[in-house]
Amino acid sequence: GFHLSGTVTEPATATEPEMTYKVAISFDRCKITSVTCGCGNKDIFYCAHVVALSLYRIRKPDQVKLRLPISETLFQMNRDQLQKFVQYLITAHHTEVLPTAQKLADEILSSNSEINQVHGAPDPTAGASIDDENCWHLDEEQVREQVKLFLSQGGYYGSGKQLNSMFAKVREMLRMRDSNGARMLTLITEQFMADPRLSLWRQQGTGITEKCRQLWDELGALWVCVVLNPHCKLEEKSCWLRQLRKWGEMDVCPLEDGNYGNELPNITNALTQSSSHSQDSLARPRRTVFTRAIEGCDLHWQDSHLQRIISSDFYVSPSYQREGESLLFNSQGQPLWLEHVPTACARVDALRSHGYPREALRLTVAIINTLRLQQQRQLEIYKHQKKELLQRGATTITNLEGWVGHPLNPIGCLFLTLTEACRLEEENCLEISDTGDSKPPVYQHVPIATGSQDSGESYLSLALEVALMGMGQQRVMPEGLYAQDKVCRNEEQIIARLQDLELDPVLVQTLRKQCILLLEGGPFSGLGEVIHRESVPMHTFAKYLFSALLPHDADLAYKLALRAMRLPVLETTAPSGDVTHPHHLVSVVPSRYPRWFTLGHLESQQCELASTMLTAAKGDMLRLRTVLEAIQKNIHSSSLIFKLAQDAFKIATPADSNSDTTLLNVALELGLQVMRMTLSTLNWRRREMVRWLVTCATEVGVRALVSILQSWYSLFTPTEATSIVAATVMSHNTILRLSLDYPQREELASCARTLALQCAMKDPQNCALSALTLCEKDHIAFETAYQIVIDAASTGMTYTQLFTIARYMEHRGYPLRAFKLASLAMTHLNLAYNQDTHPAINDVLWACALSHSLGKNELAAIIPLVVKSVHCATVLSDILRRCTMTAPGLAGIPGRRNSGKLMSTDKAPLRQLLDATISAYINTTHSRLTHISPRHYGEFIEFLSKARETFLLAQDGHIQFAQFIDNLKQIYKGKKKLMLLVRERFG
């Protein structure tokens, strides 16, 4: 039969009653070609009821009654039986069938109807003819709907995962050689191309979002797989090619290197790109995500050498080689495959994806043998050029196309093909990509099936070797943010896979051998002695190698990691060797290099590598020295060196055991370097850095503290040196922490005082007070600091600074010195008539109170200064009031007599202050009246009342005030309402 029907019962649950569904399945040549089910479930996968019925038929074929096609059964009936059959059928389903039955009856009875032109009638229970297409049932509408929904969610709510699982489904279909794989991929691609965000991103010139970009990459890679199917028909291929070209020509089609427009070369790259380079980037053809698949359509599998490689493990060179055959085999007679590496790897991926794992493995081995031969040849070439290259210190040789971060992921593909052959499958372990917390795979060594003598190699050691070769390839940093980001991502993915390998002796041997080759590999290796200035850095890779090698060969591990520390693109000048390389000519500009969008990430990876080495070298003075030198030579960012210093400090001072002095000293040295680097540049973390350095030096010990105090000027600003460094060193906590004896305490204090005086000389404004504080316990030093303040007072200091120091002096019990400094401060001050809320008012009042308490002479000395500096009537009247309340000289300076009498405002020095206050009131009144609004009238009357109180302190004050008021009435008679108020209050 070709048609299976049945009823499926779904048992009742706590919430749902028992349900029965009618299911019908058509099949043809072992494939389900269509399904219907009463549950109405819409999904790209079959519903549970269809699966249940199919499994029932497979497991219990004898329970399912097999019948002839219905047309055969009808053929055996006579006229009456047929009439009976039709009438019963209509009665059983009259509501659904009656209209159709009536219509068919009418058509059959009409002689020229369409139905009568065709011989015979259709039969759904009979199979398709041998020429008909047969493929698995796929609900196309459902695929479209789901992809559309997931895309509209923009990578949120796990939609990215859902789309990835649809891609995985396509790969699974390809592996099962189900022709729906390409059909499903076509449907997915159509929806991707119809994504409304594409035209939006294109108009705005912004890049596609990161998550979406990765999905497009996978889509492109899947198409390469599809078109490289080794057994597809030519017409299929030409149909795909038409589709791919149509999509590729649409202007919204995403480009291979990530963004629309060549990363806007004229903006971001204008600085560093020579004219020849930008011409080059404009002339390049447009490459979309489908370009590689379109190019893949030109590849075929007919090459006889290729056919022999993939069809036999025992294909070796004939005992005698004909001319030209030497390129087909290596010296051991193993076959080579000399195609462009990423293309050759795409073939491997296609074989793997289309369910040809053995063939994929054979081709992988041939590719690796070819890579090994190239590696050997490049090594020999380098040996001849070595001397010249080392003299130049740079190379112009590099790969313009890197394998890591390549759209076809060649290295990842070879690695997966090889490791899959070595995987120990656990029971019921279904491989699902992108699972959250899947256990790491377990691998075993599987010997390579080969016709040549037993090499003792396994697919697993090959996997490690090819990953190391690919990662170590020297290559130029690609252009554009996306391509550069992809390099980092792909590198991290490969390393994550490498970390799943348990390094047994066989793999350690492979690792060591490959590392030595990479170190000696010259310009073809990213770890060679000379590299191109724009070479992709090896820090992330080297960090993996270092950690993997360390337990087995520490010398090699350090040699490799130290070699990898460089970052030539940040060196200030390009070595002369660069200029002969026209494709990546970069003129030297002192700015950061705008072509390197991922520079921040790369620098932090460099820092990670250094940190890993520092941790490992703890306690080994010699190794630490070399690592320290490498850091000082290669790392150019102060914040990263600071991070390293902090890391080293943390590792050197574990909470549960003693400090490690070797590493502590490295931390201190790095900290000192940071201080020197950031001394003259602005850095928002500077205070934190300075504080940290003092903490670190304290851990190292008293000698370190003495040293930083003595060489402060090359490390700190005067302010930092006094207020943070010396103050912390002299604090009680530090003394306790170091448990110092008396001579050591004295030595530290003496250094701190010397520093304080030097800083006060250099920057009196900001350091004078700290200097005085630090010198308090030493009479000579204190006097010197005071003298520095006095000398600087007339020129370099503000009244605020002087008042602050004056108050400090009074607090320390030096009132006369405080008076002297306050007098100096007054000469710098100027308070205008309307500054009645000025912050210095408190200082002025304090200075006058101090002078008054010292005695009449001091008050007489300060009043002329006050009169000269303060023009604000309310402040002056406040001072006047305070001076008349108590007798002067209450401070009781030894050797001075004090009369104990109140002072009169008629006599000097208060007479001068009174006159100044009255004239300040008069001036302020006129100033306020020039632009007064009615809402301020009330306030103004209050102000005049205050003025009257001051006027009345003078002998003829009431006469003066009356004249003043008359004067106002005369001058401002136009302000009628205001003058009315003045009359009401003052007559």
Side-chain angles (χ1 to χ4, degrees):
F2 302 97
H3 187 274
L4 174 68
S5 52
T7 51
V8 177
T9 307
E10 196 164 307
T13 64
T15 50
E16 300 287 323
E18 179 179 279
M19 298 290 278
T20 304
Y21 300 104
K22 285 198 166 72
V23 182
I25 302 173
S26 305
F27 48 94
D28 176 13
R29 282 162 276 184
C30 301
K31 297 187 180 76
I32 292 176
T33 53
S34 76
V35 301
T36 53
C37 176
C39 73
N41 175 34
K42 289 275 175 216
D43 196 352
I44 60 170
F45 307 116
Y46 302 142
C47 66
H49 317 108
V50 168
V51 174
L53 183 62
S54 308
L55 289 174
Y56 187 79
R57 166 66 183 79
I58 292 165
R59 288 175 183 162
K60 303 184 176 176
D62 46 347
Q63 303 279 312
V64 179
K65 199 163 184 185
L66 195 63
R67 297 176 185 280
L68 285 170
I70 198 80
S71 49
E72 294 287 327
T73 312
L74 294 173
F75 187 68
Q76 294 167 15
M77 295 182 187
N78 63 25
R79 164 86 189 59
D80 289 348
Q81 286 171 313
L82 280 170
Q83 173 129 17
K84 201 172 201 172
F85 173 77
V86 173
Q87 283 181 245
Y88 267 98
L89 182 66
I90 291 171
T91 308
H93 297 286
H94 67 273
T95 48
E96 300 128 80
V97 177
L98 198 56
T100 314
Q102 192 63 62
K103 181 168 156 278
L104 287 171
D106 292 347
E107 284 184 16
I108 286 170
L109 293 173
S110 156
S111 57
N112 57 354
S113 69
E114 197 178 325
I115 211 168
N116 284 325
Q117 310 302 313
V118 181
H119 183 70
D123 177 0
T125 61
S129 90
I130 192 76
D131 306 325
D132 284 358
E133 272 292 297
N134 72 320
C135 59
W136 286 86
H137 167 69
L138 178 73
D139 188 340
E140 301 200 353
E141 194 41 50
Q142 209 34 49
V143 174
R144 287 193 195 96
E145 284 306 307
Q146 290 215 328
V147 177
K148 199 169 175 178
L149 171 71
F150 295 145
L151 281 172
S152 69
Q153 294 170 348
Y156 302 105
Y157 319 112
S159 58
K161 243 189 182 144
Q162 300 284 356
L163 286 164
N164 272 322
S165 74
M166 287 179 94
F167 287 147
K169 188 77 192 160
V170 171
R171 282 196 183 270
E172 190 188 323
M173 288 167 152
L174 297 180
R175 201 161 48 243
M176 307 302 288
R177 302 181 202 167
D178 172 355
S179 60
N180 272 337
R183 234 171 96 212
M184 182 158 159
L185 188 59
T186 304
L187 297 170
I188 294 174
T189 310
E190 280 167 353
Q191 290 308 312
F192 265 71
M193 288 302 294
D195 187 345
R197 292 175 300 170
L198 287 180
S199 53
L200 199 73
W201 283 323
R202 190 168 179 274
Q203 285 160 9
Q204 296 168 344
T206 50
I208 298 178
T209 58
E210 183 66 23
K211 280 185 175 154
C212 204
R213 237 342 306 187
Q214 291 172 21
L215 294 168
W216 274 102
D217 280 351
E218 176 63 2
L219 192 68
L222 270 173
W223 272 114
V224 174
C225 254
V226 167
V227 302
L228 280 181
N229 178 352
H231 294 281
C232 71
K233 301 191 189 85
L234 267 175
E235 54 269 29
E236 275 183 308
K237 203 183 246 193
S238 54
C239 167
W240 294 330
L241 184 59
R242 276 198 305 279
Q243 267 182 342
L244 290 164
R245 283 201 171 125
K246 187 187 84 191
W247 291 324
E249 281 159 12
M250 291 168 71
D251 53 1
V252 293
C253 186
L255 301 183
E256 183 176 77
D257 63 3
N259 285 2
Y260 295 109
N262 250 324
E263 289 283 353
L264 317 167
N266 41 357
I267 301 173
T268 47
N269 297 347
L271 265 179
T272 58
Q273 290 189 328
S274 67
S275 51
S276 68
H277 187 100
S278 39
Q279 293 300 300
D280 171 55
S281 61
L282 292 175
R284 270 182 306 186
R286 178 172 176 269
R287 292 187 67 85
T288 71
V289 286
F290 300 118
T291 303
R292 293 197 185 256
I294 291 168
E295 291 166 351
C297 290
D298 296 336
L299 298 174
H300 62 79
W301 296 82
Q302 268 72 57
D303 181 278
S304 60
H305 181 56
L306 176 62
Q307 283 299 327
R308 288 194 188 107
I309 290 174
I310 62 177
S311 55
S312 162
D313 285 327
F314 304 104
Y315 174 42
V316 290
S317 64
S319 46
Y320 63 94
Q321 288 196 0
R322 286 195 296 277
E323 197 54 47
E325 269 189 354
S326 59
L327 289 175
L328 302 182
F329 302 93
N330 64 12
S331 56
Q332 285 88 50
Q334 297 162 317
L336 304 173
W337 181 242
L338 291 164
E339 195 171 26
H340 167 240
V341 175
T343 308
C345 297
R347 285 185 191 274
V348 171
D349 194 29
L351 287 168
R352 213 177 109 242
S353 304
H354 287 285
Y356 302 100
R358 299 298 318 158
E359 289 82 346
L361 265 179
R362 289 168 188 148
L363 183 54
T364 299
V365 174
I367 293 170
I368 292 175
N369 281 328
T370 313
L371 291 176
R372 284 171 167 174
L373 191 67
Q374 284 175 351
Q375 197 179 40
Q376 282 308 117
R377 287 190 181 160
Q378 288 170 348
L379 218 88
E380 283 156 27
I381 295 169
Y382 172 55
K383 278 178 187 153
H384 294 300
Q385 304 174 332
K386 188 169 180 174
K387 203 170 160 196
E388 177 202 347
L389 279 173
L390 286 175
Q391 277 173 338
R392 279 216 312 246
T395 175
T396 56
I397 309 162
T398 180
N399 295 293
L400 293 179
E401 180 183 56
W403 299 331
V404 173
H406 190 285
L408 296 174
N409 188 12
I411 300 301
C413 158
L414 297 183
F415 185 83
L416 271 179
T417 307
L418 290 161
T419 49
E420 272 174 9
C422 305
R423 205 165 169 160
L424 267 176
E425 283 305 332
E426 290 179 32
E427 288 303 300
N428 322 327
C429 151
L430 282 175
E431 189 203 346
I432 300 166
S433 60
D434 287 317
T435 47
D437 47 346
S438 54
K439 286 209 298 260
V442 182
Y443 299 109
Q444 59 183 352
H445 284 286
V446 175
I448 295 171
T450 166
S452 67
Q453 67 279 26
D454 176 39
S455 59
E457 288 186 317
S458 78
Y459 290 121
L460 199 57
S461 61
L462 274 196
L464 175 62
E465 183 177 343
V466 80
L468 300 179
M469 263 188 192
M471 298 271 286
Q473 175 209 31
Q474 198 212 160
R475 54 203 184 266
V476 155
M477 179 64 82
E479 280 187 47
L481 166 63
Y482 182 69
Q484 292 176 11
D485 198 46
K486 203 164 162 184
V487 168
C488 303
R489 253 208 331 275
N490 194 202
E491 202 172 28
E492 280 157 14
Q493 285 161 353
I494 296 171
I495 287 173
R497 293 230 163 93
L498 284 174
Q499 282 165 336
D500 288 340
L501 301 180
E502 281 274 324
L503 291 181
D504 58 16
V506 178
L507 292 183
V508 169
Q509 194 185 349
T510 307
L511 177 71
R512 285 190 56 188
K513 187 177 159 195
Q514 200 46 240
C515 285
I516 292 165
L517 281 170
L518 286 172
L519 280 172
E520 293 172 356
F524 303 96
S525 153
L527 292 162
E529 285 176 275
V530 279
I531 50 169
H532 186 277
R533 182 155 168 275
E534 302 229 347
S535 201
V536 170
M538 294 278 137
H539 309 125
T540 315
F541 180 40
K543 186 180 146 194
Y544 161 75
L545 293 177
F546 179 79
S547 304
L549 272 173
L550 198 62
H552 312 287
D553 187 340
D555 286 344
L556 185 58
Y558 277 101
K559 188 175 179 186
L560 213 139
L562 290 165
R563 170 81 56 87
M565 272 294 289
R566 61 201 167 182
L567 187 50
V569 80
L570 286 186
E571 303 306 333
T572 42
T573 55
S576 53
D578 263 16
V579 278
T580 53
H581 195 329
H583 186 83
H584 282 273
L585 194 86
V586 175
S587 59
V588 185
V589 176
S591 70
R592 303 283 268 190
Y593 295 84
R595 265 197 67 233
W596 285 46
F597 297 94
T598 49
L599 196 54
H601 170 75
L602 298 172
E603 284 187 280
S604 67
Q605 288 302 305
Q606 182 189 31
C607 178
E608 286 286 302
L609 173 62
S611 185
T612 308
M613 284 196 281
L614 282 176
T615 310
K618 177 178 174 177
D620 184 334
M621 206 52 235
L622 245 115
R623 292 240 198 260
L624 281 173
R625 273 284 127 215
T626 14
V627 177
L628 181 65
E629 280 161 22
I631 291 169
Q632 290 171 332
K633 181 179 167 202
N634 292 300
I635 298 187
H636 303 282
S637 150
S638 55
S639 54
L640 289 176
I641 297 180
F642 182 49
K643 185 189 176 302
L644 280 174
Q646 289 176 302
D647 287 354
F649 182 75
K650 258 193 212 112
I651 301 156
T653 53
D656 49 1
S657 62
N658 295 337
S659 301
D660 178 84
T661 46
T662 54
L663 199 49
L664 255 182
N665 280 305
V666 169
L668 180 65
E669 209 159 320
L670 288 170
L672 294 172
Q673 187 183 347
V674 173
M675 288 298 106
R676 289 190 284 269
M677 285 171 87
T678 54
L679 179 57
S680 51
T681 55
L682 287 171
N683 189 309
W684 60 276
R685 296 182 65 190
R686 177 76 190 172
R687 273 185 86 78
E688 178 198 348
M689 291 168 168
V690 174
R691 288 216 157 88
W692 178 87
L693 186 82
V694 180
T695 310
C696 180
T698 308
E699 270 309 310
V700 175
V702 71
R703 301 294 357 126
L705 288 177
V706 168
S707 168
I708 63 168
L709 291 176
Q710 286 175 344
S711 54
W712 69 268
Y713 43 86
S714 64
L715 304 169
F716 315 108
T717 64
T719 321
E720 291 168 344
T722 51
S723 64
I724 305 176
V725 182
T728 313
V729 170
M730 294 312 294
S731 70
H732 188 58
N733 282 352
T734 308
I735 308 280
L736 281 180
R737 177 86 188 82
L738 290 171
S739 51
L740 302 178
D741 56 24
Y742 182 73
Q744 288 175 317
R745 282 210 297 263
E746 270 314 291
E747 183 185 15
L748 265 188
S750 159
C751 288
R753 288 194 291 268
T754 309
L755 169 145
L757 295 175
Q758 288 170 344
C759 292
M761 287 291 285
K762 202 172 165 76
D763 182 3
Q765 290 100 315
N766 298 309
C767 301
L769 187 58
S770 305
L772 286 163
T773 314
L774 287 164
C775 296
E776 278 172 6
K777 294 201 173 105
D778 184 289
H779 178 68
I780 298 173
F782 188 77
E783 290 304 314
T784 313
Y786 174 65
Q787 201 47 55
I788 293 170
V789 176
I790 297 297
D791 294 344
S794 52
T795 51
M797 297 184 74
T798 65
Y799 59 82
T800 319
Q801 291 160 340
L802 288 168
F803 275 132
T804 310
I805 298 169
R807 290 192 158 192
Y808 162 81
M809 280 297 181
E810 187 201 27
H811 177 67
R812 296 277 305 142
Y814 295 104
L816 288 170
R817 288 183 175 186
F819 166 72
K820 184 169 184 177
L821 288 165
S823 307
L824 286 167
M826 287 302 296
T827 60
H828 293 265
L829 180 67
N830 187 15
L831 275 188
Y833 77 89
N834 55 356
Q835 288 183 295
D836 49 2
T837 56
H838 193 282
I841 291 173
N842 277 334
D843 289 321
V844 174
L845 293 174
W846 168 80
C848 292
L850 172 71
S851 313
H852 185 262
S853 73
L854 288 175
K856 200 168 173 180
N857 296 343
E858 282 75 13
L859 190 60
I862 208 153
I863 280 176
L865 300 176
V866 171
V867 167
K868 194 172 170 205
S869 302
V870 180
H871 307 287
C872 179
T874 49
V875 176
L876 289 169
S877 62
D878 199 0
I879 296 169
L880 189 62
R881 187 178 55 76
R882 290 172 186 229
C883 288
T884 52
M885 277 164 61
T886 56
L890 295 179
I893 298 288
R896 287 200 188 180
R897 274 177 56 248
N898 178 8
S899 67
K901 282 201 305 198
L902 290 179
M903 291 172 77
S904 157
T905 50
D906 289 342
K907 297 198 185 101
L910 292 190
R911 177 74 215 204
Q912 191 186 356
L913 184 57
L914 178 60
D915 292 346
T917 311
I918 289 173
S919 78
Y921 269 118
I922 294 170
N923 292 338
T924 307
T925 303
H926 288 302
S927 297
R928 287 180 76 163
L929 284 171
T930 48
H931 29 239
I932 190 167
S933 66
R935 63 199 178 103
H936 290 128
Y937 285 174
E939 201 185 306
F940 177 71
I941 297 297
E942 290 310 311
F943 174 74
L944 281 184
S945 305
K946 275 220 178 91
R948 180 166 62 178
E949 286 169 22
T950 303
F951 272 85
L952 294 179
L953 290 173
Q955 274 192 337
D956 52 352
H958 59 288
I959 301 168
Q960 266 182 293
F961 188 69
Q963 281 173 348
F964 173 51
I965 294 292
D966 286 345
N967 214 353
L968 292 184
K969 290 181 203 161
Q970 229 9 72
I971 302 172
Y972 302 103
K973 57 175 179 256
K975 299 188 189 293
K976 290 196 174 68
K977 192 174 177 203
L978 179 59
M979 288 310 128
L980 194 70
L981 292 173
V982 169
R983 256 191 220 95
E984 274 177 15
R985 176 71 69 94
F986 304 109

